[in-house]
Amino acid sequence: MGQVVDAPVRKRGAKKPSAESAAVFIPENPTYEKLRKAALGCTACPLWKSGTQTVFGEGPVKAKIILVGEQPGDEEDLEGHPFVGPAGKVLDKALEEAGIVRGECYVTNAVKHFKWEPSGKRRIHKTPNAREVAACRPWLDAEIALLKPKVVVCLGATAAQALLGRNFKVTERHGELIETNSGFHVMATVHPSAILRMPDDEARHRERERFTEDLRKLKKLI
Ligand code: URA
Protein backbone atom coordinates (compact mmCIF):
# COMPACT_ATOMS: atom_id res chain seq x y z
CA MET A 1 0.00 0.00 0.00
CA GLY A 2 1.13 3.56 -0.62
CA GLN A 3 1.75 6.40 1.77
CA VAL A 4 -0.91 7.64 4.20
CA VAL A 5 -3.24 10.01 2.46
CA ASP A 6 -6.54 11.31 3.63
CA ALA A 7 -8.37 13.54 1.18
CA PRO A 8 -5.38 15.58 -0.04
CA VAL A 9 -5.61 19.20 1.02
CA ARG A 10 -4.26 21.83 -1.39
CA LYS A 11 -3.25 25.37 -0.56
CA ARG A 12 -5.09 28.03 -2.58
CA GLY A 13 -3.46 28.45 -5.97
CA ALA A 14 -1.11 25.51 -5.46
CA LYS A 15 -0.68 23.16 -8.40
CA LYS A 16 -2.42 19.81 -8.14
CA PRO A 17 0.12 17.06 -7.56
CA SER A 18 0.40 14.51 -10.34
CA ALA A 19 1.15 10.83 -9.85
CA GLU A 20 1.65 7.83 -12.08
CA SER A 21 -0.71 5.69 -10.10
CA ALA A 22 -3.44 6.06 -7.53
CA ALA A 23 -1.30 3.95 -5.17
CA VAL A 24 0.09 7.10 -3.54
CA PHE A 25 -3.43 8.17 -2.60
CA ILE A 26 -4.43 4.94 -0.84
CA PRO A 27 -4.69 5.53 2.92
CA GLU A 28 -3.14 3.16 5.38
CA ASN A 29 -5.53 0.83 7.22
CA PRO A 30 -8.29 1.82 4.83
CA THR A 31 -11.92 1.88 5.77
CA TYR A 32 -14.58 2.52 3.15
CA GLU A 33 -14.97 6.14 4.21
CA LYS A 34 -11.21 6.76 4.21
CA LEU A 35 -10.94 5.32 0.71
CA ARG A 36 -13.91 7.23 -0.64
CA LYS A 37 -12.63 10.52 0.77
CA ALA A 38 -9.10 9.97 -0.50
CA ALA A 39 -10.41 9.08 -3.96
CA LEU A 40 -12.19 12.44 -4.18
CA GLY A 41 -8.76 14.09 -4.48
CA CYS A 42 -7.20 11.58 -6.88
CA THR A 43 -5.13 13.13 -9.67
CA ALA A 44 -3.35 9.95 -10.76
CA CYS A 45 -4.41 10.35 -14.38
CA PRO A 46 -5.61 13.40 -16.34
CA LEU A 47 -9.28 12.41 -16.17
CA TRP A 48 -9.80 14.30 -12.88
CA LYS A 49 -9.68 17.46 -14.98
CA SER A 50 -12.59 16.55 -17.26
CA GLY A 51 -14.78 14.64 -14.84
CA THR A 52 -17.09 16.61 -12.55
CA GLN A 53 -16.13 14.45 -9.58
CA THR A 54 -14.74 11.07 -8.57
CA VAL A 55 -17.49 8.47 -8.67
CA PHE A 56 -16.41 5.94 -6.08
CA GLY A 57 -17.93 2.50 -5.54
CA GLU A 58 -21.02 2.14 -3.38
CA GLY A 59 -22.75 -0.62 -1.48
CA PRO A 60 -22.47 -2.58 1.73
CA VAL A 61 -18.92 -3.34 2.86
CA LYS A 62 -20.09 -6.88 3.64
CA ALA A 63 -21.34 -7.43 0.08
CA LYS A 64 -20.44 -10.81 -1.38
CA ILE A 65 -20.69 -9.55 -4.96
CA ILE A 66 -18.70 -6.67 -6.42
CA LEU A 67 -19.94 -5.44 -9.81
CA VAL A 68 -17.31 -3.55 -11.79
CA GLY A 69 -18.25 -1.35 -14.75
CA GLU A 70 -15.96 0.62 -17.01
CA GLN A 71 -16.28 4.24 -15.91
CA PRO A 72 -19.09 6.55 -14.81
CA GLY A 73 -21.31 7.84 -17.61
CA ASP A 74 -22.75 11.32 -18.05
CA GLU A 75 -25.45 10.98 -15.35
CA GLU A 76 -23.15 9.18 -12.93
CA ASP A 77 -20.58 11.95 -13.33
CA LEU A 78 -23.15 14.61 -12.50
CA GLU A 79 -24.80 12.73 -9.65
CA GLY A 80 -21.67 11.18 -8.17
CA HIS A 81 -23.06 7.63 -7.97
CA PRO A 82 -22.25 4.55 -10.10
CA PHE A 83 -24.79 3.04 -12.50
CA VAL A 84 -27.65 5.46 -11.94
CA GLY A 85 -28.21 6.30 -15.64
CA PRO A 86 -29.64 4.22 -18.52
CA ALA A 87 -27.04 1.44 -18.17
CA GLY A 88 -27.84 1.29 -14.46
CA LYS A 89 -31.50 0.66 -15.26
CA VAL A 90 -30.55 -2.27 -17.50
CA LEU A 91 -28.34 -3.60 -14.73
CA ASP A 92 -31.09 -3.22 -12.11
CA LYS A 93 -33.59 -5.14 -14.25
CA ALA A 94 -31.20 -7.98 -15.03
CA LEU A 95 -30.19 -8.31 -11.37
CA GLU A 96 -33.83 -8.42 -10.34
CA GLU A 97 -34.61 -11.10 -12.92
CA ALA A 98 -31.61 -13.09 -11.75
CA GLY A 99 -32.89 -12.89 -8.15
CA ILE A 100 -30.03 -10.73 -6.92
CA VAL A 101 -30.70 -7.67 -4.79
CA ARG A 102 -28.70 -4.69 -6.04
CA GLY A 103 -28.68 -3.17 -2.56
CA GLU A 104 -26.73 -6.21 -1.36
CA CYS A 105 -24.04 -5.74 -4.03
CA TYR A 106 -21.14 -3.31 -4.11
CA VAL A 107 -21.12 -1.44 -7.42
CA THR A 108 -18.02 0.28 -8.75
CA ASN A 109 -16.03 1.03 -11.89
CA ALA A 110 -12.54 0.24 -13.21
CA VAL A 111 -12.01 3.99 -13.76
CA LYS A 112 -13.53 6.46 -11.34
CA HIS A 113 -13.75 9.56 -13.52
CA PHE A 114 -15.89 10.16 -16.63
CA LYS A 115 -13.91 10.34 -19.87
CA TRP A 116 -15.75 12.16 -22.60
CA GLU A 117 -15.50 14.34 -25.66
CA PRO A 118 -17.87 17.12 -26.70
CA SER A 119 -20.34 16.64 -29.52
CA GLY A 120 -22.43 19.78 -29.80
CA LYS A 121 -23.98 20.19 -26.36
CA ARG A 122 -23.56 16.52 -25.49
CA ARG A 123 -20.74 14.78 -23.69
CA ILE A 124 -19.93 11.57 -25.52
CA HIS A 125 -18.36 8.67 -23.63
CA LYS A 126 -14.76 7.86 -24.59
CA THR A 127 -13.23 4.53 -23.64
CA PRO A 128 -10.45 4.96 -21.06
CA ASN A 129 -7.00 3.94 -22.27
CA ALA A 130 -4.71 1.36 -20.67
CA ARG A 131 -2.73 4.01 -18.78
CA GLU A 132 -5.87 5.47 -17.21
CA VAL A 133 -7.16 2.02 -16.25
CA ALA A 134 -3.78 1.11 -14.74
CA ALA A 135 -3.53 4.43 -12.86
CA CYS A 136 -6.96 3.86 -11.30
CA ARG A 137 -6.41 0.18 -10.53
CA PRO A 138 -5.20 0.66 -6.90
CA TRP A 139 -8.68 1.93 -5.98
CA LEU A 140 -10.30 -1.24 -7.30
CA ASP A 141 -7.69 -3.39 -5.57
CA ALA A 142 -8.34 -1.53 -2.31
CA GLU A 143 -12.11 -1.98 -2.66
CA ILE A 144 -11.66 -5.72 -3.26
CA ALA A 145 -9.19 -6.05 -0.37
CA LEU A 146 -11.59 -4.25 1.98
CA LEU A 147 -14.73 -6.16 1.03
CA LYS A 148 -13.25 -9.64 0.54
CA PRO A 149 -16.08 -10.59 -1.83
CA LYS A 150 -17.00 -14.07 -2.98
CA VAL A 151 -17.13 -12.92 -6.58
CA VAL A 152 -16.10 -9.93 -8.67
CA VAL A 153 -18.24 -9.45 -11.78
CA CYS A 154 -16.64 -7.56 -14.66
CA LEU A 155 -19.23 -5.75 -16.75
CA GLY A 156 -17.69 -5.45 -20.20
CA ALA A 157 -14.23 -5.60 -21.69
CA THR A 158 -12.54 -2.74 -19.83
CA ALA A 159 -13.22 -4.24 -16.40
CA ALA A 160 -12.55 -7.79 -17.65
CA GLN A 161 -9.23 -6.88 -19.19
CA ALA A 162 -8.22 -4.91 -16.10
CA LEU A 163 -8.76 -7.97 -13.90
CA LEU A 164 -8.23 -10.90 -16.25
CA GLY A 165 -5.61 -9.61 -18.68
CA ARG A 166 -5.51 -7.73 -21.97
CA ASN A 167 -6.22 -10.83 -24.06
CA PHE A 168 -9.42 -11.80 -22.23
CA LYS A 169 -12.38 -11.97 -24.60
CA VAL A 170 -15.76 -11.39 -22.95
CA THR A 171 -17.56 -12.60 -26.09
CA GLU A 172 -15.90 -16.01 -25.78
CA ARG A 173 -15.74 -16.43 -22.00
CA HIS A 174 -18.71 -14.55 -20.56
CA GLY A 175 -20.41 -16.33 -17.66
CA GLU A 176 -17.37 -18.45 -16.72
CA LEU A 177 -16.71 -18.50 -12.99
CA ILE A 178 -12.94 -18.15 -12.79
CA GLU A 179 -11.31 -19.08 -9.51
CA THR A 180 -8.48 -16.80 -8.35
CA ASN A 181 -5.84 -17.57 -5.76
CA SER A 182 -7.06 -14.60 -3.72
CA GLY A 183 -10.12 -16.37 -2.34
CA PHE A 184 -12.74 -15.04 -4.74
CA HIS A 185 -14.06 -15.84 -8.20
CA VAL A 186 -14.14 -13.49 -11.15
CA MET A 187 -16.82 -13.58 -13.80
CA ALA A 188 -17.01 -11.41 -16.90
CA THR A 189 -20.22 -10.62 -18.69
CA VAL A 190 -21.56 -8.05 -21.12
CA HIS A 191 -21.71 -4.38 -20.28
CA PRO A 192 -25.29 -3.11 -19.88
CA SER A 193 -24.50 -0.21 -22.27
CA ALA A 194 -23.65 -2.75 -24.98
CA ILE A 195 -27.20 -4.07 -24.64
CA LEU A 196 -28.56 -0.56 -25.18
CA ARG A 197 -26.43 -0.19 -28.30
CA MET A 198 -27.78 -3.35 -29.96
CA PRO A 199 -29.18 -2.52 -33.42
CA ASP A 200 -32.69 -3.94 -32.98
CA ASP A 201 -35.15 -5.30 -30.43
CA GLU A 202 -34.37 -8.91 -31.19
CA ALA A 203 -30.63 -8.48 -30.62
CA ARG A 204 -31.30 -6.43 -27.50
CA HIS A 205 -33.57 -9.11 -26.12
CA ARG A 206 -31.00 -11.84 -26.84
CA GLU A 207 -28.22 -9.89 -25.10
CA ARG A 208 -30.42 -9.14 -22.10
CA GLU A 209 -31.19 -12.86 -21.75
CA ARG A 210 -27.48 -13.71 -21.95
CA PHE A 211 -26.66 -11.07 -19.36
CA THR A 212 -29.37 -12.29 -16.97
CA GLU A 213 -28.29 -15.93 -17.47
CA ASP A 214 -24.71 -15.00 -16.54
CA LEU A 215 -25.88 -13.16 -13.42
CA ARG A 216 -27.98 -16.17 -12.36
CA LYS A 217 -24.76 -18.19 -12.07
CA LEU A 218 -23.67 -15.96 -9.20
CA LYS A 219 -26.37 -17.36 -6.98
CA LYS A 220 -24.50 -20.59 -6.38
CA LEU A 221 -21.60 -18.61 -4.90
CA ILE A 222 -23.56 -16.48 -2.46
N1 URA B 1 -21.29 2.62 -17.31
C1 URA B 1 -20.35 2.15 -16.47
O1 URA B 1 -19.48 1.38 -16.84
N2 URA B 1 -20.42 2.55 -15.21
C2 URA B 1 -21.34 3.37 -14.75
O2 URA B 1 -21.32 3.70 -13.56
C3 URA B 1 -22.32 3.83 -15.65
C4 URA B 1 -22.27 3.45 -16.94
Side-chain angles (χ1 to χ4, degrees):
M1 293 263 165
Q3 82 190 62
V4 183
V5 189
D6 227 283
V9 180
R10 276 190 309 143
K11 292 203 182 105
R12 268 172 97 89
K15 264 194 167 172
K16 276 238 181 192
S18 66
E20 292 296 307
S21 152
V24 296
F25 293 91
I26 307 286
E28 255 174 28
N29 307 316
T31 59
Y32 172 74
E33 265 316 306
K34 274 195 194 175
L35 282 173
R36 197 187 62 79
K37 273 197 196 151
L40 297 180
C42 185
T43 54
C45 81
L47 298 183
W48 66 268
K49 295 178 201 159
S50 54
T52 306
Q53 57 193 313
T54 302
V55 179
F56 203 64
E58 289 180 353
V61 170
K62 60 178 194 320
K64 295 188 176 123
I65 300 176
I66 297 186
L67 301 162
V68 187
E70 180 191 82
Q71 60 166 356
D74 185 70
E75 286 187 38
E76 288 79 11
D77 172 70
L78 296 173
E79 291 188 30
H81 305 290
F83 281 103
V84 290
K89 305 223 166 22
V90 174
L91 175 63
D92 289 353
K93 189 156 185 276
L95 284 170
E96 197 186 326
E97 280 174 15
I100 295 164
V101 180
R102 170 161 173 173
E104 292 175 3
C105 301
Y106 183 88
V107 182
T108 191
N109 282 298
V111 169
K112 269 101 173 136
H113 279 106
F114 180 35
K115 182 174 183 180
W116 59 279
E117 62 189 3
S119 169
K121 287 189 178 159
R122 296 181 61 211
R123 303 191 300 168
I124 305 294
H125 159 276
K126 263 190 100 182
T127 305
N129 63 36
R131 180 204 167 310
E132 291 151 354
V133 174
C136 210
R137 176 62 189 267
W139 294 119
L140 182 57
D141 288 341
E143 289 170 299
I144 294 172
L146 182 70
L147 270 76
K148 299 186 179 55
K150 290 244 190 283
V151 57
V152 177
V153 183
C154 302
L155 303 170
T158 300
Q161 289 172 2
L163 282 166
L164 296 164
R166 297 289 297 280
N167 296 324
F168 188 90
K169 297 243 181 321
V170 178
T171 42
E172 289 167 15
R173 300 190 60 188
H174 70 91
E176 258 181 56
L177 285 166
I178 300 164
E179 211 171 332
T180 70
N181 52 16
S182 310
F184 58 88
H185 285 76
V186 178
M187 188 183 88
T189 184
V190 295
H191 192 287
S193 296
I195 297 173
L196 292 171
R197 285 196 302 270
M198 286 289 129
D200 52 56
D201 281 353
E202 196 187 322
R204 229 175 345 267
H205 178 74
R206 199 178 50 237
E207 281 301 289
R208 267 186 213 278
E209 290 287 298
R210 194 175 290 170
F211 184 37
T212 308
E213 259 328 291
D214 286 349
L215 295 177
R216 277 199 187 103
K217 295 183 188 147
L218 303 173
K219 294 211 71 179
K220 62 176 167 212
L221 290 180
I222 57 172

